[in-house]
Amino acid sequence: MAKPVSEYTRKRNFDITSEPPETAGRARSGKGKALSFVIHKHDARNLHYDFRLELDGTLKSWAVPKGPSLDPKNKRLAVHVEDHPLGYGSFEGSIPEGQYGAGDVIVWDRGIWQPHGDPRETYKAGKLKFTLIGEKLTGDWALVRTHLPGSGDKEQWLLIKEKDEAVRSADEYDIVADKPESVVSGATVGEGRASAKSGTRKTAAAAPVAEKKPASKTTKKPAAKKTAIPQKLSPQLATLMDTPPEGEWLYEIKFDGYRIMTRILDGEVRLITRNGHDWTERLPLQAKAISELNLGDGWLDGEMVVLNDAGLPDFQALQNAFDIGRSKDIVYYLFDVPFLNGEDLREKPVEDRRAALKKLLGKQKKGLLRFSDAFSAGHRDIIESACLLSLEGVIGKRAGSVYQSRRSPDWIKLKCKLRQEFVIVGFTKPQGTRSGFGALLLAVNEEGAGLVYAGRVGTGFNQKTLAELFEKMQPLEQDASPLGKKLTSAQGRGVHWIKPTLVGEVEFGEWTREGIVRHSAFIALRSDKPASEVVHEYPKTPKDIKAPFKPNASKTSASKTDELAGKPKAASKRDSKDKIEVAGVLISHPERVIDKKSGLHKIDLAHFYESISDWILPHLDHRAVALLRCPEGVEGEQFFQKHAERLAIPNIKQLDPKLDPGHARLMEIDSVQALVGAAQMGTIELHTWGSTYDKIELPDHFVLDLDPDPALPWRSMIEATQITLSVLDELGLDAYIKTSGGKGMHIIVPLARKADWDTVKAFAKALAQFIAEQLPERFTATSGPKNRVSKIFIDYLRNTRGASTVAAYSARARPGLPVSVPVSRDELASLKSSDQWNIANLQKRLRKLKADPWAGYKNTQRITRPMWKRLGVKAPT
């Protein structure tokens, strides 16, 4: 007999809505697992909040029209609705028109709930009392069934805040109004109903929603899946190349103009620059032309240019057109369509996207909107053909590639002449009859060094540009050089320094070995690119740009075993050709994807460790290191290796065998070459001992690893860290913190090298037990998942001889390749998660740091008898 269809499934068509379908069976909730809760903010026909509690493998759900209140006097109506599947707890997106509950949905709050008494009995009795531990809501609450008449058969309940320390008077505070955003994406819904027509409304589409695509229930081809159109979309950027690579590529003109993205949402057209500025008012005719295409919600990608008499892009003419407001002279060349008529096309091949774009633009060869056609020349002749036409260069797009909002090797640029943007950092006095200034001083951003001097440009100016530039630079003058490294007295003589905000495009003959441009000529100021993004553009060679990696199915088990054991393979022609050198170390199989979530490759990890060597090496200095090796990537088999054995890591240092008798030698990483060498051998994580090897029996710090129940909200982790730090402050112990790169936080307490391992471990254990005894509802000092349900385990077990902790600035072998990052106490409250930094975005944080987060770290503290006494433990003799 077929199982009856639930009310949830009966109301939904999962071929159209992206809401999650029910799965077979229900996981019964038990004592070994925390119970989750989620509150959805739902902008349907009427804005309301859906309050959901996990019970018996489903989400019991109530619609709360006004949302929760922290004032016990405000008893909120809560209409009991159908149960939802547990998978709905993470749903965020837009339910299409015509579907049940059509409208935008965000996760307004989430966390765990702790029932008072047996939840099945109290739910059945209509008197649910419970504690919430969420990102926004905390404390005790009640859901009480009433006998009020409802709509149809829906029960009417009341959501009531119980009296406790979390209570706030409604006269002074409204949490719904104060915290309207999603705890997942930061998006808001329903905030601008009155101003929706003016385009100021933000929706859940601010973050792209991953849609599930269940199998079709019929043999008919399902309609195109509609998706939430993001409010913001970064363009795909191209990688500079020196020569055309082999393979199948589509080549277009490299337009000398302004990159503009078009967003169409609810019939409104907005034209947005690469760095997010709205230029719709500056381009009214182009916006109107797009509007007349009558497209549904979507995004277009293209370049605004002005053509000269020869029909070629002229950037100076484009600037003039903007200056005098002649948008009729500006042509919008379109070359991609990431979203079209409510459908996400980003995963479709570039050929299909361009075909769809060409079709919607029709055959128009003139007018304000034009399609960017591809070249017909062969790939070996492509750059020569472009240069003969006096073009700046060409853009190549790998056939079959998807659209990615980042700089990608699937899009490349080939230039006829060297030409790029520079930050203008100063100018010199004019000579002879020249007015304004003599030359501009140029710079580029360099990781770890700030702005680096890149030479001067003194030609390419006419009287008008000299005057305009001088007028812009005068208000920016400052006494100090903005460069990270001072110039020589000869280079800096007579220079007027300015704030580094202006960006200029310069054409030049070559880069010198010292990173200085030669034979340069000024082209124009660029207002479409921020100074912070200007870097030295190094052209790559074709060997750096490979086709997407495909696993070699013919690899034998024997060769695979050798690779995992660290044995070098017999060199093959392909191995030799495909290796890339990083810090003097050859990286084999650089294209191997080591993390499917981010798509990052082995070469990316090697470059990451090279780039942060100055930050991580001090934390590895004079310490035995253990390696977590993942030769097949994050999802493959992992090996934890403490001893050198027969592992041939390039440049790694092997320590004295007496340090760990009975084993192979311990290892140390003391150079950038050893660091990159470890990455070459499949290492992702680096773990260090709690002592330096010159005094290996005397630890110089102890670690408290705060390890939460994964169901707990991040807010609980912040509070737990603050509480632990407060206890250490009371004891008089200075402590430092870092993200674990996983779910928890690491607290490091530096020590003078006086106490042995047993003493330090015993003190860390006493400290963990003391905190757990004071706050048993929040903490546990006993390991094991069953002991940390709804709690945070204070792990003190890492403070044992031979145990290790992941090093500061080490990557983690987890999806996304997060990094364990030191933070200051002032930053703690603002952290979003323990894995918010990864190997792709850490450099951005490091560039912005004004001071070392662990400034003041000293190994001078001692564990004293009064400290033991305050923890209620007798000090060891």
Side-chain angles (χ1 to χ4, degrees), residues 150-364:
S151 173
D153 60 350
K154 291 184 171 62
E155 298 174 342
Q156 309 289 294
W157 293 55
L158 295 174
L159 176 64
I160 307 167
K161 179 73 187 76
E162 300 278 86
K163 294 181 178 179
D164 58 20
E165 60 184 16
V167 163
R168 298 283 296 274
S169 169
D171 295 332
E172 66 177 44
Y173 185 69
D174 181 355
I175 192 170
V176 167
D178 185 58
K179 298 183 177 181
E181 70 286 342
S182 163
V183 295
V184 174
S185 64
T188 60
V189 297
E191 299 306 303
R193 286 172 175 257
S195 58
K197 292 182 180 180
S198 66
T200 59
R201 178 179 176 186
K202 288 172 66 181
T203 72
V209 178
E211 294 193 349
K212 298 191 176 183
K213 298 182 179 180
S216 175
K217 298 178 182 178
T218 71
T219 57
K220 295 181 180 180
K221 185 178 179 179
K225 179 80 75 175
K226 301 297 181 181
T227 190
I229 303 299
Q231 286 273 353
K232 298 180 180 180
L233 186 68
S234 297
Q236 180 157 347
L237 304 177
T239 301
L240 181 64
M241 293 281 291
D242 59 356
T243 55
E246 297 288 344
E248 191 174 350
W249 294 80
L250 309 175
Y251 287 98
E252 309 165 44
I253 290 175
K254 185 182 186 304
F255 291 104
D256 192 7
Y258 284 129
R259 183 77 172 273
I260 298 289
M261 304 284 287
T262 296
R263 184 189 70 208
I264 307 163
L265 200 57
D266 297 330
E268 182 185 46
V269 173
R270 310 305 295 179
L271 300 175
I272 301 169
T273 68
R274 171 179 162 181
N275 47 348
H277 298 305
D278 191 331
W279 279 17
T280 311
E281 301 303 320
R282 303 182 70 182
L283 296 158
L285 298 180
Q286 289 73 16
K288 181 181 178 183
I290 294 169
S291 180
E292 289 172 351
L293 294 175
N294 295 316
L295 302 177
D297 291 354
W299 281 89
L300 308 176
D301 192 355
E303 191 109 355
M304 295 288 178
V305 302
V306 167
L307 303 177
N308 62 19
D309 293 339
L312 299 174
D314 185 330
F315 187 76
Q316 188 59 59
L318 176 65
Q319 288 198 316
N320 293 340
F322 275 113
D323 290 342
I324 62 177
R326 287 176 59 91
S327 70
K328 72 181 184 68
D329 295 338
I330 299 173
V331 178
Y332 192 12
Y333 273 97
L334 293 160
F335 45 70
D336 215 318
V337 53
F339 291 84
L340 178 62
N341 293 327
E343 187 178 358
D344 187 347
L345 303 185
R346 290 175 297 179
E347 294 299 316
K348 292 186 178 295
V350 63
E351 308 95 292
D352 293 357
R353 299 195 308 272
R354 284 176 51 78
L357 177 62
K358 189 171 185 178
K359 183 177 179 180
L360 71 88
L361 289 175
K363 297 181 179 180
Q364 52 185 315

